[in-house]
Amino acid sequence: MNKIKATFFIALFLVLTSCVKDVYLDPIDLPDVLTSEVIRVDKFSENEFFSVTNTGLYLQFDENDYVEYYSSDYADWTTFDWQQAKLSYQDGILLVSNGSKYILVSRNSIKSDEFDNSSLMLRPSSIISPSGVPLHVGFGDIQVDNNNELVYVIYIEKIESNGTTKIATEMKVSAANYDAIDLVFNPQGELVITTNPIYVVSDWNGNASNFNSIEPTNGFVNYKSIMQPTVVDGVLYGYSDAPSYYQSANTMYKFDLSSQTVTEFNLRDFCSYPDAVGGAEKHLNWNESNVSMLVPSEFGYTNVNGSPMSYIYSYNLEDETCDIITIPSSSFVQSTFSINDIGYNFNSDKVYIGLSSGLYVYDKNTDETSLFINSLLSLK
Amino acid sequence: MKYRIVITTFILGCFLFVGLNAKSQEKSIYLFSFKHLKSSLGHEILFSPFLHHAKSPHLANYYINGGSLVYPTAVYNRVYGIITSTYQPKLRLVEFGSKASIALRIPMTLSLSTVDLKTKEGNKYTPSSVVSYNINFGYYEGSRDNALGAFSTEIGGLLGIDFGKDATIENEAKTGISLAAGYNIIYAPLILRKYDNEPRSAYKGLLSWGSLIGQVGIIKKGFSIYYAFGLNPTRVHYDDALGIESTVRTNTYQRLSIGFKLGK
């Protein structure tokens, strides 16, 4: 019996000492470009967003699915005007363009180049097509038409893997309506050039000879162009001027393409801005006829937690109502001037804030601001 | 799986012991009956001065910024008992003659202790959002300056076998041995130190845990000595910010107590 007892004690001892469970915590590779100064951030959907910082570029396709490219991959990184650049995003491909330069970013590569500068391309804009083809559209020649008026001819440049093609079209805009061009694809996949008149191009991938010209005949017919446009149910919405740091925007247009009626909105009529606020400085995104825009506070420095640092105004252009998200100050956001950029999308409760110390997230449900990297850590 | 092996081994061993003892001495087996409740009950009070230490399982990660890599380190709740007292009632479920019994113990513990939620390196975890200060110093976490709180309480259920003294009410041996195993739930701290106005609810899931423990005891006339220990510790392996591998053992439990029998 003593042998059995001894065997039991030995067995128990062995079992007890072998019961230590081992757990391994592996270092996590995080997008370190997001911990340096953020220059720009833009959200395309709930989980898709883009940010560029002093050290690189980050493009997220989904939660925990992203690519990052370092500034060393692009020689002109510091001279490229990221804040004023036009963005166009389509199914994982991002086109960033400014002036004659563009950068094409995808999951597998980053390519920077210049548009075809063999001939003039005035007041251009660029867009990526639903099939992923980057397009660059602007005014090329100046001609005298049959009525003896000066007109600008629209050129379209296509950037494809085997080179670029640039064609002069039959689409023309009167010199009186000469302004910056903007572009959008309608739900039918046609390219809409939001000049005055509007051009709807169905064979944009060919020689662009098949297009409709839609003249404004009612309402505010003297607009020049419609910026940051969207097309919903045959109605085109957009700004009178592209909102920017240098030129805040307060006026929008609604162009009913079937009745050819243009309606002009003064956003201040929908809901007034707080004191010392100039207007929208950045277009954020569209959701049907709802538009959101960044309206920075002008109060400046504050140490008081909860003071308004910036506002996101969301307008419903059909109901003529508005909704306001206030970005409060926090231990990270202590000054309006510390905010380099803000990204927001209607499909998300989270506002991305770009600061000199990195990218932060303001959750409008919890009213808390936290480091973006921490939200990635919670997914690991 | 390992827990099952431990428990199965222990229980089989207990029955093996009891069976051999009973067979060799040809004693009768008595099952617990409410008619004899008083003779089946025992009461002890245990004291552990500075000999009580518990660590929770790995509850959270504390992230250290190491440049392009972020290093998770294990956060656990730890209790250092300064003075710990345990009231431990015992119910004999099965008695094997007068020599041995299978008993259920319900140790209820109150400890004057310091409690902290921390890493091995001493970083004190808080659910507070990380602030600029933390990031500037290379941490993707908020942190506290002081311990989380004080006082802890525990309740457990231990099933085991007793031999010799106090194994049964009739046993008159000079020495007894007790072997037991079961589950122990710890709640710590009872008093949360105020820090950054974080409410107790913010620490949800971090202030209580349960673990398997074993307990061995030697019972002498007038007093007893018990050693309780964790049965399923976890060894967490991680790299520090310099890339050097480190380990920390979590889900541990140790309590060495001197006990006194209450009543007969």
Side-chain angles (χ1 to χ4, degrees):
Chain A
M1 193 177 73
N2 285 337
K3 282 184 182 174
I4 295 172
K5 282 184 180 176
T7 307
F8 166 70
F9 272 118
I10 291 167
L12 184 63
F13 176 77
L14 289 175
V15 169
L16 290 180
T17 53
S18 67
C19 269
V20 178
K21 188 171 131 193
D22 286 290
V23 171
Y24 294 86
L25 300 179
D26 295 322
I28 299 166
D29 190 2
L30 287 177
D32 50 323
V33 298
L34 292 184
T35 58
S36 56
E37 178 165 7
V38 174
I39 297 169
R40 179 166 182 169
V41 56
D42 289 85
K43 287 189 81 172
F44 308 122
S45 69
E46 182 181 3
N47 293 320
E48 292 171 296
F49 82 95
F50 155 80
S51 183
V52 62
T53 71
N54 279 345
T55 54
L57 180 155
Y58 176 92
L59 180 60
Q60 179 171 298
F61 308 104
D62 203 346
E63 279 189 335
N64 224 5
D65 179 14
Y66 58 84
V67 290
E68 59 178 338
Y69 295 101
Y70 294 94
S71 53
S72 54
D73 296 335
Y74 178 42
D76 291 335
W77 193 272
T78 51
T79 56
F80 192 81
D81 189 348
W82 293 97
Q83 284 185 317
Q84 297 304 312
K86 169 93 187 284
L87 296 189
S88 180
Y89 179 79
Q90 187 74 43
D91 295 335
I93 302 173
L94 175 70
L95 175 68
V96 189
S97 60
N98 189 26
S100 61
K101 294 177 182 173
Y102 73 90
I103 298 173
L104 201 57
V105 187
S106 68
R107 186 182 292 277
N108 302 315
S109 65
I110 180 168
K111 174 193 172 189
S112 59
D113 208 339
E114 293 205 346
F115 294 113
D116 181 355
N117 55 10
S118 59
S119 59
L120 277 179
M121 196 66 135
L122 301 170
R123 308 303 300 270
S125 184
S126 56
I127 193 168
I128 200 151
S129 77
S131 55
V133 178
L135 299 174
H136 189 223
V137 178
F139 296 116
D141 301 335
I142 305 169
Q143 298 177 351
V144 179
D145 70 359
N146 297 335
N147 299 326
N148 232 11
E149 284 186 4
L150 282 177
V151 292
Y152 286 83
V153 178
I154 293 175
Y155 277 59
I156 296 179
E157 180 184 350
K158 277 188 299 180
I159 300 160
E160 293 173 302
S161 54
N162 55 357
T164 64
T165 52
K166 188 176 186 181
I167 56 171
T169 71
E170 294 299 314
M171 294 178 277
K172 293 168 186 171
V173 171
S174 159
N177 291 329
Y178 174 74
D179 200 355
I181 279 180
D182 214 342
L183 310 164
V184 65
F185 278 90
N186 66 18
Q188 291 74 41
E190 298 167 313
L191 176 66
V192 180
I193 303 171
T194 58
T195 48
N196 187 353
I198 299 282
Y199 288 106
V200 181
V201 189
S202 54
D203 67 336
W204 56 267
N205 207 16
N207 57 10
S209 61
N210 194 358
F211 61 85
N212 285 328
S213 169
I214 304 174
E215 294 275 353
T217 55
N218 305 302
F220 190 76
V221 298
N222 292 326
Y223 78 89
K224 290 189 173 179
S225 63
I226 300 177
M227 306 304 291
Q228 303 283 3
T230 188
V231 181
V232 181
D233 295 333
V235 179
L236 190 147
Y237 302 93
Y239 297 79
S240 61
D241 297 288
S244 73
Y245 176 76
Y246 306 103
Q247 183 178 19
S248 58
N250 292 298
T251 306
M252 300 200 76
Y253 298 135
K254 170 186 171 185
F255 192 146
D256 188 323
L257 299 176
S258 55
S259 67
Q260 296 172 251
T261 303
V262 179
T263 310
E264 184 185 32
F265 299 103
N266 187 338
L267 296 175
R268 289 177 186 267
D269 294 340
F270 292 7
C271 59
S272 62
Y273 295 141
D275 290 340
V277 166
E281 292 189 2
K282 183 187 179 186
H283 165 71
L284 295 172
N285 80 313
W286 286 100
N287 181 20
E288 302 287 320
S289 58
N290 295 287
V291 61
S292 63
M293 58 196 74
L294 176 64
V295 180
S297 167
E298 303 292 340
F299 284 111
Y301 182 81
T302 176
N303 271 324
V304 182
N305 262 6
S307 301
M309 292 283 98
S310 200
Y311 305 93
I312 292 174
Y313 276 67
S314 299
Y315 294 96
N316 184 320
L317 297 179
E318 287 301 313
D319 298 345
E320 301 190 8
T321 56
C322 81
D323 187 35
I324 304 168
I325 300 171
T326 303
I327 312 295
S329 63
S330 63
S331 76
F332 302 110
V333 188
Q334 297 192 345
S335 161
T336 298
F337 308 121
S338 70
I339 299 175
N340 291 342
D341 198 14
I342 281 179
Y344 172 72
N345 189 279
F346 277 112
N347 297 317
S348 172
D349 293 327
K350 293 175 178 169
V351 179
Y352 288 8
I353 306 172
L355 302 177
S356 59
S357 56
L359 184 66
Y360 293 80
V361 181
Y362 169 68
D363 189 326
K364 65 181 187 181
N365 287 332
T366 61
D367 198 31
E368 285 188 353
T369 303
S370 58
L371 187 68
F372 173 76
I373 292 286
N374 277 25
S375 67
L376 288 183
L377 290 172
S378 67
L379 298 172
K380 302 289 181 184
Chain B
M1 183 62 190
K2 283 179 179 174
Y3 311 149
R4 289 180 191 169
I5 294 171
V6 172
I7 293 166
T8 308
T9 308
F10 189 81
I11 291 172
L12 285 177
C14 290
F15 278 102
L16 182 65
F17 264 111
V18 170
L20 289 172
N21 277 317
K23 190 179 174 185
S24 63
Q25 294 168 29
E26 295 182 349
K27 295 292 182 184
S28 302
I29 295 175
Y30 303 99
L31 297 178
F32 165 74
S33 165
F34 281 105
K35 283 183 185 175
H36 307 291
L37 176 63
K38 201 171 177 183
S39 63
S40 297
L41 277 176
H43 306 271
E44 285 175 300
I45 188 152
L46 317 178
F47 294 101
S48 309
F50 301 104
L51 297 170
H52 176 212
H53 178 232
K55 279 192 212 168
S56 74
H58 170 201
L59 296 173
N61 288 333
Y62 190 94
Y63 294 101
I64 298 171
N65 179 11
S68 62
L69 291 176
V70 171
Y71 295 90
T73 56
V75 173
Y76 51 85
N77 192 336
R78 74 104 182 93
V79 175
Y80 273 131
I82 299 168
I83 296 285
T84 300
S85 66
T86 302
Y87 167 62
Q88 183 171 256
K90 176 176 78 170
L91 181 65
R92 297 182 190 94
L93 300 174
V94 185
E95 295 184 17
F96 303 92
S98 63
K99 295 285 185 184
S101 63
I102 291 176
L104 175 68
R105 285 178 167 81
I106 315 279
M108 289 173 271
T109 300
L110 180 66
S111 179
L112 168 59
S113 51
T114 69
V115 180
D116 208 355
L117 198 58
K118 61 187 278 291
T119 67
K120 182 183 175 185
E121 291 73 23
N123 292 313
K124 296 174 186 295
Y125 182 86
T126 171
S128 302
S129 297
V130 61
V131 294
S132 306
Y133 171 85
N134 306 120
I135 294 168
N136 293 341
F137 281 87
Y139 300 109
Y140 286 133
E141 301 289 345
S143 60
R144 287 173 286 106
D145 294 328
N146 300 299
L148 184 64
F151 287 97
S152 62
T153 187
E154 302 172 21
I155 186 165
L158 307 177
L159 189 65
I161 184 164
D162 294 352
F163 299 104
K165 183 167 178 56
D166 282 348
T168 64
I169 198 165
E170 300 89 2
N171 192 294
E172 294 180 350
K174 289 183 179 175
T175 305
I177 294 174
S178 169
L179 301 171
Y183 199 70
N184 190 50
I185 296 170
I186 300 177
Y187 192 75
L190 293 178
I191 298 173
L192 188 69
R193 188 184 181 115
K194 291 287 180 192
Y195 179 81
D196 279 353
N197 298 318
E198 286 293 352
R200 181 172 285 274
S201 58
Y203 287 92
K204 189 178 178 185
L206 302 172
L207 305 184
S208 67
W209 68 96
S211 54
L212 291 174
I213 64 167
Q215 181 174 269
V216 295
I218 297 173
I219 296 101
K220 300 288 283 185
K221 187 180 180 183
F223 73 98
S224 53
I225 295 173
Y226 284 97
Y227 176 60
F229 53 96
L231 287 177
N232 55 338
T234 302
R235 190 164 41 220
V236 183
H237 302 254
Y238 59 94
D239 291 342
D240 65 19
L242 298 174
I244 299 168
E245 186 178 330
S246 188
T247 61
V248 61
R249 194 173 277 238
T250 62
N251 204 18
T252 62
Y253 186 87
Q254 296 187 68
R255 175 167 48 81
L256 184 63
S257 313
I258 184 164
F260 302 95
K261 187 178 176 184
L262 301 174
K264 281 191 176 179

